[in-house]
């Protein structure tokens, strides 16, 4: 249940979030935990994508010589995760499944962070035109995936979200 409008994980981001049926890495914990068992091997992944870093200045916004500058930063997404094959199961089928395979996975991701800072025209004087806003989400998931046969796998994941804002 990806309630966010941003994809979690580098492969999911590359596919524009259309990832539920193809999730065979730690991103599966967020999209489809049952497909965790189709990971090719145990692995660790770290990825970060910075999308927007923007600076702006409005000259004379509050009168002659009264400039306002603003900086925004949006990062979507960053992830650290791993898949560990606990039991190998039988050999790979032509459907890219591994009957009898048991896998464990975990992720910690920052699907969204937004920072906005508006600098005052005169920092030494009282003003009402400055602001600093930060809004972050941190998401964590743990899960297991088991492939019964080439057609059926089950998965379970537990997740938590921490939102911080200032």
């Amino acid at each position: 249940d990806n309630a966010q409008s941003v994809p979690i994980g580098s492969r999911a981001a590359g596919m524009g979030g259309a990832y539920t049926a193809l999730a065979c890495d730690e991103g599966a914990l967020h999209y489809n935990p049952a497909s965790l068992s189709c990971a090719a091997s145990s692995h660790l992944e770290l990825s970060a994508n910075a999308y927007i870093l923007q600076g702006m200045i409005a000259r004379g916004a509050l009168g002659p010589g009264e400039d306002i500058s603003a900086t925004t930063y949006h990062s979507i997404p960053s992830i650290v995760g791993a898949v560990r094959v606990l039991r190998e199961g039988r050999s790979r089928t032509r459907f890219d499944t591994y009957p009898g395979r048991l896998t464990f996975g975990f992720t910690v991701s920052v699907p969204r962070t937004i920072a906005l800072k508006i600098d005052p025209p005169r920092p030494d004087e009282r003003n009402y035109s400055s602001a600093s806003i930060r809004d972050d989400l941190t998401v964590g998931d743990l899960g297991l995936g088991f492939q019964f046969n080439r057609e059926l796998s089950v998965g379970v994941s537990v997740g938590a979200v921490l939102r911080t804002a200032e």
Side-chain angles (χ1 to χ4, degrees), residues 4-160:
Q4 300 301 317
S5 60
V6 296
I8 305 292
S10 59
R11 187 169 179 225
M15 298 176 73
Y19 194 57
T20 301
L22 301 172
C24 286
D25 60 7
E26 59 284 337
L29 294 170
H30 189 73
Y31 292 93
N32 182 3
S35 67
L36 185 65
S37 61
C38 72
S41 63
S42 296
H43 64 275
L44 176 69
E45 178 183 343
L46 167 64
S47 71
N49 303 313
Y51 289 120
I52 300 171
L53 179 59
Q54 183 177 22
M56 298 165 279
I57 189 163
R59 300 212 184 272
L62 300 175
E66 301 285 327
D67 302 340
I68 295 178
S69 62
T71 306
T72 60
Y73 170 73
H74 303 262
S75 173
I76 315 165
S78 300
I79 188 169
V80 175
V83 173
R84 174 78 174 139
V85 177
L86 300 176
R87 187 172 72 205
E88 195 58 52
R90 294 185 293 281
S91 63
R92 180 175 154 179
T93 68
R94 65 185 183 113
F95 299 102
D96 289 337
T97 59
Y98 300 83
R101 179 181 262 191
L102 177 65
T103 52
F104 167 78
F106 79 89
T107 64
V108 175
S109 61
V110 180
R112 184 184 75 201
T113 182
I114 299 171
L116 170 65
K117 183 177 181 191
I118 301 174
D119 297 319
R122 293 191 180 143
D124 56 336
E125 293 182 10
R126 185 178 178 135
N127 67 81
Y128 299 96
S129 61
S130 64
S132 182
I133 300 166
R134 183 154 185 106
D135 185 14
D136 298 310
L137 286 179
T138 304
V139 178
D141 293 294
L142 291 171
L144 291 170
F146 182 74
Q147 184 78 41
F148 283 102
N149 55 39
R150 74 177 192 177
E151 294 91 11
L152 179 64
S153 70
V154 295
V156 61
S157 70
V158 177

